Amino acid sequence: MKKWACCFLNMKIALFSISLQANSQNVYETSHVLSLHGQPKYSSDFKHFSYVNPDAPRQGKVRLAVLGTYDTFDLFTSKGVPAAVGPYIYDSLMIASRDEPGSLYPLIAEQIEFPSDNRWVRFVINPKAKFSDGSRITAKLIKETFQNYKNGEFSSFKLIMQDVEKIEVEADNRVKLTLNVPEDKKLPFRLAQLPIIHPSYWHENHKDESKVQLPVSSGPYTIKSYELGQKVSLVRNDQYWAENLPVNVGRNNFKQVKLEYFRNSTISLEAFLSGNYDIRVENLAKNWTFAYKGRDIESGRIIKKDYPRRSFQVQSFIFNTRKAPFTDQRVREAVSQGYDLAWTNSNLLYGIYSAPKSLFATSKFAHRDAPSNSELKLLNPYRDRLPEKLFKEPWTGVQTDGSGNIRRQLSYANKLLKQAGWELRNGKMVNKKTGEPLKFELMLAVPEQERIAIPFKTNLEFLGIEMNIVSIDVSQYVRRIRNHDYDMVLRTFQQPDLPGNEQREYWSSTTADDHGTQNLAGVKNPAVDDMINHIIKANSLEQLETATRALDRILLWENYTIPQIYQPYWRVAHRNNYSYPDHAGLFGPIDLSIWWENQKE
């Protein structure tokens, strides 16, 4: 037992209520919780998460807004634009707690088992688990879901499953997955969070692509009705088997959820202020500062709140490095000089944002100061192919005084462009050899963001660079993103609480050319790939921090993005008949499942 405990501590996967099991092949552990790099908060007899209200009313309704449109309920294909119903209708084997980083607790799986070498993982399925049609969720169906992810077209799930060597049904309630990369501590973690799909999806869903098919739910809600592209009405399943599990107490408090789609943020805001829906997360600084006016605001019927959060996300301009001229780091750095964040934040964003110095914002994984000795040990093998400054100082981004005068920055940009083989002719920046002008397109899905991009465009014109700004609807935007048909986009990076193998999806050479990849920048860099491998194989939190900080430095100094803004809270407006538990902030996206509608007196 002492020998196992030593191995276990090296794995840094902490388990409560561990029992030691043995068979003729291996020694393994059984637990109710899987936690990465730390001690889990909740023991096996916990009653509910501490950030929920276990006595919340459960008969209310809520109306929510979604931007864009949808044309399918198929969330697992690269075709079409899916409805935003996934979290309502699909459960996973385990579920994350939101007040601690990186811990999972039982949902469909009531236990998890694995050996000390992390070579495989076994999920023990709760015998009560069932779909909304009453059919049982068995190990055989879990295997079918995972096998279809492995062989399917959805790149994110396929990438996770590529490290699964074998899937075996050992009993009606036990499924075992043998892993190719046992060093990847986060792989079992991500497998446990994949949506579990009814077999009818795999057998029937693609027979008639012209027909919209409603999925059978494995989660707390089912789809009651819909108007394609415009509305979806969900109702809580009265027969939901997991309603009283500790992970669900105080959650899923709305009996009905109605989603309404709006083409853009302006129309959506008007609808909210007119009383057409109930809770709004505001993403535009101008709206938050000036647009919330009227009797409902003045009377307190609508409440504005800065809702705290602990996850880190950064909004950035992203270069598509698959396409010239952004294949050249010097051109990317030169273009970056034209974005004056200090002026933009002061004059257009009303000073409410912070300037990001890292793609991991203010977390412990953000790089700081000059590289540490442990970081340099990882970075030094690539000294001849990375910027020299990376090894000596932190990345700070383009520094301006906020006055709008950026002559020094533009002069530096000119120098970089000259080194890269560009010159100014008749007011246009052109390639010295071909005479081709330096121009590109910034593609937006939110038209209201154009006002942020216009000063950027103007500054680049002083360099002779032409940046065209185009705003397109969501369906076109999704299609072009999937096909890598863009030069630059403005997007938000939502990083996980504990970085891991998802960084391959964002930055790895192995994903750069995949259809529908999340590697929007098309990064193909051996140094980046190596840092990701160090992240995946980290044996301690200290090693994880070191590898992530090294990755952060490379991504920033190679100018794959122009980090724009971040903020430590969600801006939320809601009608005063809705409430939520008081807490100091949660990890992950805002969780409306713990809100409730107050009962009328």
Side-chain angles (χ1 to χ4, degrees):
M1 183 67 178
K2 289 182 179 180
K3 180 179 180 181
W4 172 85
C6 179
C7 295
F8 175 71
L9 290 174
N10 288 337
M11 286 174 60
K12 291 294 183 180
I13 298 180
L15 303 172
F16 275 14
S17 300
I18 299 170
S19 61
L20 185 66
Q21 308 290 333
N23 57 32
S24 60
Q25 295 180 332
N26 213 335
V27 176
Y28 63 88
E29 305 307 316
T30 299
S31 176
H32 79 290
V33 58
L34 173 62
S35 188
L36 292 168
H37 302 294
Q39 187 86 332
K41 179 175 181 177
Y42 299 98
S43 61
S44 59
D45 60 350
F46 83 103
K47 304 303 181 184
H48 58 79
F49 293 133
S50 61
Y51 54 85
V52 305
N53 175 9
D55 301 315
R58 293 179 54 78
Q59 297 303 311
K61 304 176 183 179
V62 67
R63 300 167 299 168
L64 303 173
V66 185
L67 289 185
T69 186
Y70 72 94
D71 55 20
T72 181
F73 290 106
D74 186 348
L75 277 61
F76 310 103
T77 179
S78 58
K79 301 174 183 177
V81 180
V85 297
Y88 300 100
I89 66 172
Y90 292 122
D91 272 350
S92 52
L93 294 173
M94 305 181 79
I95 188 172
S97 57
R98 302 293 296 278
D99 57 347
E100 57 180 327
S103 290
L104 299 181
Y105 296 87
L107 188 50
I108 291 175
E110 61 181 355
Q111 290 180 328
I112 184 172
E113 300 175 346
F114 51 82
S116 58
D117 63 5
N118 207 35
R119 187 68 182 85
W120 52 264
V121 60
R122 178 186 293 120
F123 295 104
V124 182
I125 311 305
N126 192 313
K128 298 178 181 179
K130 61 183 181 180
F131 293 102
S132 60
D133 67 353
S135 59
R136 288 184 56 220
I137 301 177
T138 63
K140 180 181 178 181
L141 297 181
I142 301 297
K143 176 182 177 179
E144 185 173 8
T145 291
F146 284 162
Q147 197 66 57
N148 278 288
Y149 285 154
K150 188 177 181 69
N151 300 330
E153 60 181 17
F154 199 73
S155 60
S156 294
F157 293 162
K158 193 172 184 176
L159 187 64
I160 296 171
M161 295 303 301
Q162 76 177 19
D163 290 332
V164 176
E165 178 182 316
K166 185 168 55 174
I167 309 170
E168 301 172 274
V169 174
E170 297 184 323
D172 191 48
N173 69 331
R174 292 174 181 264
V175 60
K176 177 182 176 182
L177 288 81
T178 303
L179 310 179
N180 287 325
V181 189
E183 304 95 337
D184 184 355
K185 310 304 184 298
K186 199 169 184 180
L187 181 55
F189 194 86
R190 298 194 73 194
L191 291 168
Q193 294 183 89
L194 291 175
I196 301 304
I197 313 302
H198 191 275
S200 62
Y201 171 83
W202 313 112
H203 301 160
E204 302 172 6
N205 198 51
H206 300 291
K207 288 182 179 179
D208 184 358
E209 294 187 0
S210 65
K211 182 180 179 182
V212 175
Q213 300 193 26
L214 297 182
V216 178
S217 170
S218 62
Y221 291 87
T222 59
I223 298 171
K224 180 181 179 182
S225 62
Y226 68 93
E227 296 177 30
L228 191 63
Q230 300 179 52
K231 297 179 181 180
V232 183
S233 179
L234 300 115
V235 61
R236 194 173 61 224
N237 180 9
D238 291 335
Q239 303 301 315
Y240 178 48
W241 73 275
E243 180 173 339
N244 295 318
L245 289 182
V247 295
N248 280 331
V249 172
R251 298 180 63 245
N252 310 314
N253 297 319
F254 299 115
K255 189 174 180 64
Q256 293 185 28
V257 178
K258 293 185 178 181
L259 307 179
E260 184 166 358
Y261 282 74
F262 298 93
R263 288 289 179 178
N264 59 55
S265 183
T266 299
I267 297 173
S268 174
L269 176 58
E270 291 173 355
F272 175 73
L273 295 175
S274 298
N276 291 335
Y277 63 95
D278 303 309
I279 303 173
R280 174 179 172 83
V281 179
E282 182 56 69
N283 294 317
L284 298 176
K286 182 180 179 180
N287 285 348
W288 193 247
T289 306
F290 296 112
Y292 288 81
K293 297 179 180 179
R295 288 181 299 176
D296 284 355
I297 299 290
E298 295 168 0
S299 67
R301 285 193 291 270
I302 291 178
I303 298 171
K304 290 175 63 182
K305 172 74 174 180
D306 288 338
Y307 192 89
R309 68 182 180 191
R310 297 167 69 181
S311 288
F312 35 97
Q313 62 180 31
V314 175
Q315 183 169 288
S316 303
F317 294 100
I318 304 170
F319 296 100
N320 184 358
T321 65
R322 305 173 187 88
K323 300 172 66 175
F326 296 145
T327 52
D328 191 320
Q329 181 272 337
R330 294 167 296 183
V331 175
R332 300 194 298 268
E333 185 177 2
V335 170
S336 301
Q337 303 303 307
Y339 183 65
D340 188 348
L341 173 60
W343 184 92
T344 301
N345 191 30
S346 176
N347 291 274
L348 299 180
L349 300 176
Y350 315 104
I352 65 177
Y353 290 102
S354 298
K357 305 298 183 185
S358 164
L359 292 174
F360 296 86
T362 57
S363 78
K364 66 178 70 176
F365 304 105
H367 83 279
R368 297 174 178 83
D369 305 318
S372 65
N373 289 334
S374 55
E375 288 177 66
L376 288 173
K377 185 176 180 180
L378 302 182
L379 293 167
N380 277 334
Y382 303 96
R383 186 176 283 272
D384 62 341
R385 63 183 303 153
L386 294 173
E388 183 61 29
K389 287 184 178 180
L390 181 153
F391 298 89
K392 300 177 179 178
E393 59 189 75
W395 181 89
T396 58
V398 179
Q399 299 296 301
T400 66
D401 60 11
S403 68
N405 184 344
I406 59 169
R407 291 182 180 179
R408 179 173 57 85
Q409 291 76 14
L410 296 182
S411 176
Y412 176 59
N414 263 316
K415 179 181 178 181
L416 289 170
L417 291 169
K418 185 176 181 180
Q419 292 173 0
W422 299 82
E423 65 181 6
L424 201 60
R425 295 181 192 170
N426 301 319
K428 298 291 183 182
M429 188 63 66
V430 299
N431 187 283
K432 292 179 182 179
K433 293 181 179 180
T434 67
E436 182 180 357
L438 204 169
K439 61 180 181 180
F440 66 94
E441 180 183 89
L442 169 63
M443 185 176 73
L444 303 174
V446 181
E448 292 83 359
Q449 292 176 332
E450 289 184 15
R451 61 189 295 270
I452 306 301
I454 289 173
F456 186 14
K457 171 185 172 71
T458 301
N459 288 340
L460 292 178
E461 288 173 351
F462 288 113
L463 289 170
I465 298 174
E466 180 182 348
M467 181 177 84
N468 296 313
I469 305 170
V470 295
S471 297
I472 58 179
D473 65 42
V474 170
S475 58
Q476 288 180 300
Y477 185 86
V478 169
R479 182 169 61 253
R480 289 185 60 179
I481 288 289
R482 288 171 176 168
N483 293 326
H484 314 152
D485 182 19
Y486 54 91
D487 301 320
M488 175 187 280
V489 292
L490 179 58
R491 290 283 290 269
T492 297
F493 283 105
Q494 176 72 55
Q495 289 285 0
D497 312 321
L498 289 171
N501 55 20
E502 75 290 325
Q503 300 303 313
R504 287 189 309 194
E505 299 166 38
Y506 300 156
W507 315 111
S508 171
S509 301
T510 62
T511 64
D513 295 327
D514 290 351
H515 183 263
T517 180
Q518 295 187 62
N519 185 349
L520 299 183
V523 177
K524 291 184 178 180
N525 187 322
V528 169
D529 294 340
D530 195 22
M531 297 310 114
I532 294 172
N533 285 332
H534 284 296
I535 289 172
I536 289 173
K537 296 180 180 181
N539 283 319
S540 67
L541 186 58
E542 181 181 9
Q543 289 182 9
L544 181 62
E545 291 172 359
T546 296
T548 307
R549 290 169 184 169
L551 173 66
D552 191 29
R553 293 181 193 275
I554 297 172
L555 295 172
L556 292 168
W557 281 104
E558 289 284 357
N559 300 102
Y560 294 115
T561 72
I562 307 175
Q564 188 201 21
I565 51 175
Y566 81 94
Q567 59 181 10
Y569 48 81
W570 305 98
R571 295 186 296 251
V572 182
H574 63 90
R575 307 202 177 279
N576 64 3
N577 55 319
Y578 291 87
S579 297
Y580 54 87
D582 185 24
H583 55 73
L586 301 177
F587 292 100
I590 189 168
D591 187 1
L592 296 182
S593 76
I594 65 176
W595 289 48
W596 65 88
E597 184 179 16
N598 299 315
Q599 295 177 317
K600 296 180 181 179
E601 298 180 0

